């Protein structure tokens, strides 16, 4: 782990592996450990930079705007001397940050993988995020453990892995509540649709077919808006790298290597 000084703050980055650079951004309800199952295989092909989003772990916070998150991540390129061929992969909220990065700084990097992402939540999606935000405000981060687990994993997975609820509680209680609350507010008001036409990065949209947090129809709409290929992973929820690592790798690695 290294604390990288960038304009306006610090980014906590774990770097390992060799090859073409790949920047990885985690979801709101998870941290970088969500990629532990795919990290060994990816690090044999790429030089990974697993970034703690602003306000998580050792990364300093930013103002509560998706643009501020993306602009802070963009500072990694001069700080680490990343090449324009660098690839970016994001999951969930990290994918929304990655998409904003492409809209605002797309010329800095190459292929983009958006795993379980939306450009704009539906009314029902915004209401669900708002309810989770309110519960965390009123009762603390641990109180949303079951909600979080069911947003990350599909119901059948939770039924066979009930321990995930307790794991989510422990992980959530380590998070900065203010950052989480701010990110929920960002998600509720998110509308990246006007910027989709400006994205020139080769893009792959991949998502769990049973994703309850960013549902398949929103992922497909995003892919259509980007003119990108969309791939649904069967029997999978919101975090394919965690739930279906082998299938996820088989889907994204060829794209990351070729941009096609």
């Amino acid at each position: 782990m290294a604390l990288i000084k960038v304009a306006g703050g610090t980014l906590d980055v774990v770097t390992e592996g060799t090859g073409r650079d790949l920047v990885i951004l985690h979801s709101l309800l998870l941290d970088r450990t969500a990629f532990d199952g795919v990290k060994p295989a990816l690090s044999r092909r790429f030089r990974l930079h697993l970034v703690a989003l602003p306000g998580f772990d050792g990364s300093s916070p930013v103002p509560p705007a998706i643009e501020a998150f993306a602009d802070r991540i963009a500072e990694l390129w001069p700080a680490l001397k990343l090449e324009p061929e660098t690839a970016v992969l994001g999951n969930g909220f990290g994918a929304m940050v990655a998409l904003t990065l492409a809209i605002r700084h797309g010329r800095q990097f190459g292929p983009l993988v958006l795993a379980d992402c939306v450009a704009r939540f539906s009314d029902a999606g915004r209401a669900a995020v708002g309810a989770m935000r309110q519960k965390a405000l009123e009762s603390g981060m641990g109180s949303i453990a079951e909600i979080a687990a069911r947003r990350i994993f599909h119901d059948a997975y939770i039924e066979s892995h009930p321990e995930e609820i307790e794991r989510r509680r422990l992980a959530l209680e380590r998070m900065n509540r203010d950052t989480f609350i701010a990110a929920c507010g960002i998600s509720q008001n998110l509308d990246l649709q006007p910027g989709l036409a400006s994205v020139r990065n080769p893009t792959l949209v991949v998502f769990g077919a049973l994703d309850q947090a960013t549902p398949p129809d929103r992922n497909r709409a995003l892919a259509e808006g980007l003119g990108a290929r969309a791939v649904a992973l069967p029997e999978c929820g919101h975090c394919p790298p965690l739930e279906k690592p082998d299938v996820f790798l088989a889907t994204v690695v060829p794209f990351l290597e070729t941009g096609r």
Side-chain angles (χ1 to χ4, degrees):
M1 183 184 78
L3 297 180
I4 309 298
K5 291 186 177 181
V6 297
T10 301
L11 283 170
D12 180 346
V13 183
V14 170
T15 296
E16 60 181 78
T18 58
R20 180 182 185 176
D21 290 296
L22 171 59
V23 172
I24 297 179
L25 306 176
H26 62 83
S27 183
L28 176 60
L29 293 170
L30 295 158
D31 57 18
R32 290 172 292 194
T33 61
F35 295 93
D36 283 355
V38 297
K39 190 167 59 173
L42 288 176
S43 64
R44 289 194 291 270
R45 296 173 172 84
F46 304 97
R47 184 170 180 250
L48 307 182
H49 306 282
L50 293 111
V51 185
L53 291 174
F56 287 79
D57 294 327
S59 293
S60 55
V62 294
I66 195 74
E67 296 84 2
F69 275 79
D71 291 350
R72 178 63 56 83
I73 299 300
E75 292 295 333
L76 275 181
W77 269 253
L80 297 180
K81 296 181 172 58
L82 299 179
E83 298 292 336
E85 295 78 20
T86 296
V88 176
L89 186 161
N91 175 223
F93 187 76
M96 299 170 203
V97 174
L99 176 55
T100 308
L101 185 71
I103 292 169
R104 295 171 68 83
H105 306 281
R107 292 184 178 181
Q108 289 189 184
F109 63 97
L112 172 66
V113 173
L114 302 174
D116 298 81
C117 183
V118 299
R120 183 178 185 274
F121 279 98
S122 65
D123 290 345
R126 287 195 296 275
V129 173
M132 185 171 60
R133 176 183 183 274
Q134 190 62 34
K135 188 173 180 64
L137 270 172
E138 292 175 353
S139 305
M141 293 295 291
S143 70
I144 65 170
E146 183 167 356
I147 298 172
R150 294 190 181 278
R151 286 180 70 82
I152 295 167
F153 303 102
H154 61 90
D155 289 343
Y157 187 92
I158 291 293
E159 288 172 10
S160 59
H161 299 82
E163 69 279 1
E164 286 297 343
I165 295 175
E166 177 62 13
R167 288 179 182 170
R168 285 306 96 218
R169 185 186 67 79
L170 295 173
L172 286 162
E173 288 179 345
R174 292 194 297 270
M175 288 185 186
N176 182 306
R177 192 183 74 159
D178 291 342
T179 295
F180 178 83
I181 296 302
C184 286
I186 290 169
S187 298
Q188 285 181 277
N189 297 311
L190 185 78
D191 188 1
L192 299 176
Q193 292 177 128
L196 297 184
S198 68
V199 175
R200 296 291 179 265
N201 306 73
T203 303
L204 173 67
V205 178
V206 57
F207 56 94
L210 302 177
D211 184 359
Q212 299 180 61
T214 52
D217 63 324
R218 307 307 293 179
N219 281 272
R220 292 191 180 97
L222 170 61
E224 183 177 352
L226 290 166
R229 183 162 59 100
V231 179
L233 305 185
E235 299 180 3
C236 185
H238 182 63
C239 187
L242 182 61
E243 193 173 340
K244 295 284 186 179
D246 293 340
V247 178
F248 181 74
L249 285 167
T251 303
V252 304
V253 167
F255 175 80
L256 288 169
E257 291 182 330
T258 66
R260 297 191 301 273

